Short mmCIF file of all heavy atoms in Angstrom, two decimals:
data_model
loop_
_atom_site.label_atom_id
_atom_site.label_comp_id
_atom_site.label_asym_id
_atom_site.label_seq_id
_atom_site.Cartn_x
_atom_site.Cartn_y
_atom_site.Cartn_z
N MET A 25 -2.06 -40.74 34.00
CA MET A 25 -2.82 -41.98 33.85
C MET A 25 -3.95 -41.88 32.84
O MET A 25 -4.23 -42.85 32.14
CB MET A 25 -3.37 -42.44 35.21
CG MET A 25 -2.30 -42.76 36.21
SD MET A 25 -1.11 -43.98 35.58
CE MET A 25 0.11 -43.88 36.84
N CYS A 26 -4.59 -40.74 32.74
CA CYS A 26 -5.68 -40.59 31.78
C CYS A 26 -5.16 -40.79 30.35
O CYS A 26 -5.73 -41.56 29.57
CB CYS A 26 -6.34 -39.22 31.92
SG CYS A 26 -7.77 -39.00 30.85
N GLU A 27 -4.06 -40.13 30.03
CA GLU A 27 -3.46 -40.28 28.70
C GLU A 27 -2.96 -41.70 28.50
O GLU A 27 -3.11 -42.28 27.42
CB GLU A 27 -2.31 -39.29 28.50
CG GLU A 27 -2.75 -37.85 28.42
CD GLU A 27 -2.78 -37.17 29.79
OE1 GLU A 27 -2.74 -37.86 30.84
OE2 GLU A 27 -2.87 -35.94 29.82
N ALA A 28 -2.36 -42.28 29.54
CA ALA A 28 -1.86 -43.65 29.46
C ALA A 28 -2.98 -44.62 29.13
O ALA A 28 -2.82 -45.52 28.29
CB ALA A 28 -1.17 -44.05 30.76
N LEU A 29 -4.14 -44.43 29.77
CA LEU A 29 -5.26 -45.34 29.52
C LEU A 29 -5.78 -45.20 28.10
O LEU A 29 -6.12 -46.20 27.46
CB LEU A 29 -6.37 -45.09 30.54
CG LEU A 29 -7.53 -46.08 30.49
CD1 LEU A 29 -7.04 -47.51 30.70
CD2 LEU A 29 -8.57 -45.72 31.53
N VAL A 30 -5.81 -43.99 27.57
CA VAL A 30 -6.27 -43.78 26.19
C VAL A 30 -5.38 -44.57 25.23
O VAL A 30 -5.87 -45.29 24.35
CB VAL A 30 -6.28 -42.28 25.81
CG1 VAL A 30 -6.49 -42.09 24.32
CG2 VAL A 30 -7.36 -41.55 26.60
N TYR A 31 -4.07 -44.46 25.40
CA TYR A 31 -3.15 -45.18 24.50
C TYR A 31 -3.20 -46.69 24.73
O TYR A 31 -3.13 -47.47 23.78
CB TYR A 31 -1.73 -44.66 24.67
CG TYR A 31 -1.50 -43.35 23.96
CD1 TYR A 31 -1.44 -42.16 24.67
CD2 TYR A 31 -1.38 -43.31 22.58
CE1 TYR A 31 -1.24 -40.95 24.01
CE2 TYR A 31 -1.18 -42.12 21.91
CZ TYR A 31 -1.11 -40.94 22.63
OH TYR A 31 -0.92 -39.75 21.97
N ALA A 32 -3.35 -47.11 25.97
CA ALA A 32 -3.45 -48.55 26.25
C ALA A 32 -4.70 -49.14 25.60
O ALA A 32 -4.66 -50.23 25.01
CB ALA A 32 -3.46 -48.79 27.76
N MET A 33 -5.80 -48.41 25.67
CA MET A 33 -7.03 -48.89 25.05
C MET A 33 -6.91 -48.89 23.52
O MET A 33 -7.48 -49.76 22.86
CB MET A 33 -8.22 -48.05 25.50
CG MET A 33 -8.55 -48.22 26.99
SD MET A 33 -8.85 -49.94 27.48
CE MET A 33 -10.33 -50.29 26.54
N THR A 34 -6.15 -47.95 22.98
CA THR A 34 -5.90 -47.95 21.53
C THR A 34 -5.15 -49.23 21.14
O THR A 34 -5.45 -49.84 20.11
CB THR A 34 -5.09 -46.71 21.12
OG1 THR A 34 -5.86 -45.55 21.43
CG2 THR A 34 -4.75 -46.71 19.64
N ALA A 35 -4.20 -49.62 21.97
CA ALA A 35 -3.45 -50.86 21.69
C ALA A 35 -4.37 -52.07 21.74
O ALA A 35 -4.27 -52.98 20.91
CB ALA A 35 -2.31 -51.01 22.69
N VAL A 36 -5.29 -52.09 22.70
CA VAL A 36 -6.25 -53.20 22.80
C VAL A 36 -7.15 -53.23 21.57
O VAL A 36 -7.43 -54.28 21.00
CB VAL A 36 -7.08 -53.10 24.09
CG1 VAL A 36 -8.26 -54.08 24.06
CG2 VAL A 36 -6.22 -53.35 25.31
N GLU A 37 -7.61 -52.06 21.14
CA GLU A 37 -8.48 -51.99 19.96
C GLU A 37 -7.74 -52.42 18.69
O GLU A 37 -8.33 -53.06 17.82
CB GLU A 37 -9.02 -50.58 19.79
CG GLU A 37 -10.03 -50.20 20.85
CD GLU A 37 -10.39 -48.73 20.83
OE1 GLU A 37 -9.97 -48.01 19.89
OE2 GLU A 37 -11.08 -48.29 21.75
N ALA A 38 -6.45 -52.09 18.59
CA ALA A 38 -5.68 -52.47 17.41
C ALA A 38 -5.49 -53.98 17.33
O ALA A 38 -5.56 -54.55 16.24
CB ALA A 38 -4.33 -51.76 17.41
N GLU A 39 -5.22 -54.61 18.47
CA GLU A 39 -5.01 -56.06 18.50
C GLU A 39 -5.61 -56.61 19.79
O GLU A 39 -4.92 -56.79 20.79
CB GLU A 39 -3.52 -56.39 18.40
CG GLU A 39 -2.92 -56.03 17.05
CD GLU A 39 -1.56 -56.65 16.87
OE1 GLU A 39 -1.44 -57.87 17.00
OE2 GLU A 39 -0.62 -55.89 16.59
N PRO A 40 -6.92 -56.87 19.78
CA PRO A 40 -7.62 -57.25 21.00
C PRO A 40 -7.18 -58.58 21.63
O PRO A 40 -7.45 -58.80 22.80
CB PRO A 40 -9.09 -57.33 20.57
CG PRO A 40 -9.12 -57.20 19.12
CD PRO A 40 -7.80 -56.74 18.64
N LEU A 41 -6.50 -59.41 20.89
CA LEU A 41 -6.07 -60.69 21.45
C LEU A 41 -4.65 -60.66 22.02
O LEU A 41 -4.18 -61.67 22.56
CB LEU A 41 -6.18 -61.80 20.39
CG LEU A 41 -7.59 -62.02 19.84
CD1 LEU A 41 -7.57 -63.12 18.79
CD2 LEU A 41 -8.57 -62.35 20.96
N ARG A 42 -3.98 -59.52 21.95
CA ARG A 42 -2.61 -59.40 22.46
C ARG A 42 -2.63 -59.17 23.97
O ARG A 42 -3.18 -58.22 24.48
CB ARG A 42 -1.88 -58.23 21.81
CG ARG A 42 -1.48 -58.49 20.41
CD ARG A 42 -0.35 -59.48 20.39
NE ARG A 42 0.12 -59.61 19.03
CZ ARG A 42 1.27 -60.14 18.72
NH1 ARG A 42 2.05 -60.59 19.65
NH2 ARG A 42 1.62 -60.24 17.46
N GLU A 43 -1.97 -60.09 24.68
CA GLU A 43 -1.91 -59.99 26.13
C GLU A 43 -1.17 -58.73 26.59
O GLU A 43 -1.54 -58.12 27.59
CB GLU A 43 -1.22 -61.23 26.70
CG GLU A 43 -1.16 -61.23 28.21
CD GLU A 43 -0.47 -62.46 28.76
OE1 GLU A 43 -0.35 -63.47 28.05
OE2 GLU A 43 -0.05 -62.40 29.92
N SER A 44 -0.14 -58.32 25.86
CA SER A 44 0.65 -57.16 26.29
C SER A 44 -0.20 -55.89 26.36
O SER A 44 0.00 -55.06 27.24
CB SER A 44 1.85 -56.95 25.36
OG SER A 44 1.42 -56.79 24.03
N ALA A 45 -1.14 -55.76 25.46
CA ALA A 45 -2.01 -54.58 25.49
C ALA A 45 -2.92 -54.61 26.72
O ALA A 45 -3.07 -53.60 27.41
CB ALA A 45 -2.85 -54.51 24.22
N HIS A 46 -3.48 -55.76 27.01
CA HIS A 46 -4.34 -55.89 28.20
C HIS A 46 -3.52 -55.73 29.48
O HIS A 46 -4.00 -55.15 30.46
CB HIS A 46 -5.06 -57.23 28.18
CG HIS A 46 -6.11 -57.31 27.12
ND1 HIS A 46 -7.37 -56.76 27.27
CD2 HIS A 46 -6.08 -57.83 25.87
CE1 HIS A 46 -8.07 -56.97 26.17
NE2 HIS A 46 -7.30 -57.61 25.30
N ARG A 47 -2.29 -56.22 29.46
CA ARG A 47 -1.41 -56.06 30.62
C ARG A 47 -1.15 -54.58 30.88
O ARG A 47 -1.10 -54.14 32.03
CB ARG A 47 -0.10 -56.82 30.38
CG ARG A 47 0.72 -56.97 31.63
CD ARG A 47 2.00 -57.76 31.42
NE ARG A 47 1.80 -58.97 30.65
CZ ARG A 47 2.46 -59.28 29.53
NH1 ARG A 47 3.38 -58.47 29.06
NH2 ARG A 47 2.22 -60.40 28.90
N GLU A 48 -0.98 -53.80 29.81
CA GLU A 48 -0.74 -52.36 29.98
C GLU A 48 -1.97 -51.67 30.56
O GLU A 48 -1.85 -50.80 31.42
CB GLU A 48 -0.34 -51.72 28.64
CG GLU A 48 -0.06 -50.24 28.72
CD GLU A 48 1.07 -49.86 29.66
OE1 GLU A 48 1.92 -50.70 30.02
OE2 GLU A 48 1.11 -48.67 30.06
N VAL A 49 -3.17 -52.04 30.10
CA VAL A 49 -4.40 -51.48 30.68
C VAL A 49 -4.43 -51.78 32.18
O VAL A 49 -4.72 -50.90 33.00
CB VAL A 49 -5.66 -52.02 29.98
CG1 VAL A 49 -6.92 -51.62 30.74
CG2 VAL A 49 -5.74 -51.51 28.54
N THR A 50 -4.10 -53.01 32.55
CA THR A 50 -4.07 -53.40 33.96
C THR A 50 -3.04 -52.57 34.73
O THR A 50 -3.31 -52.11 35.84
CB THR A 50 -3.77 -54.90 34.09
OG1 THR A 50 -4.78 -55.63 33.41
CG2 THR A 50 -3.73 -55.32 35.54
N ALA A 51 -1.87 -52.36 34.13
CA ALA A 51 -0.82 -51.58 34.79
C ALA A 51 -1.28 -50.14 35.02
O ALA A 51 -0.97 -49.55 36.06
CB ALA A 51 0.46 -51.60 33.96
N VAL A 52 -2.03 -49.57 34.09
CA VAL A 52 -2.54 -48.21 34.26
C VAL A 52 -3.53 -48.19 35.42
O VAL A 52 -3.47 -47.30 36.28
CB VAL A 52 -3.19 -47.68 32.97
CG1 VAL A 52 -3.88 -46.34 33.22
CG2 VAL A 52 -2.15 -47.53 31.86
N HIS A 53 -4.42 -49.16 35.47
CA HIS A 53 -5.38 -49.22 36.58
C HIS A 53 -4.65 -49.35 37.92
O HIS A 53 -5.01 -48.68 38.89
CB HIS A 53 -6.35 -50.39 36.40
CG HIS A 53 -7.40 -50.12 35.39
ND1 HIS A 53 -8.35 -49.13 35.51
CD2 HIS A 53 -7.67 -50.74 34.21
CE1 HIS A 53 -9.15 -49.14 34.46
NE2 HIS A 53 -8.75 -50.09 33.65
N LEU A 54 -3.62 -50.18 37.96
CA LEU A 54 -2.83 -50.30 39.18
C LEU A 54 -2.15 -48.99 39.53
O LEU A 54 -2.07 -48.61 40.69
CB LEU A 54 -1.77 -51.40 39.03
CG LEU A 54 -2.30 -52.83 39.05
CD1 LEU A 54 -1.17 -53.79 38.71
CD2 LEU A 54 -2.92 -53.15 40.39
#
């Protein structure tokens, strides 16, 4: 999960308005 969150946050930083990136961050938290 630690590595997953790093990559998910990278996706959010690359395209902050993309829902799929935020959904992945949420999935990691879950």
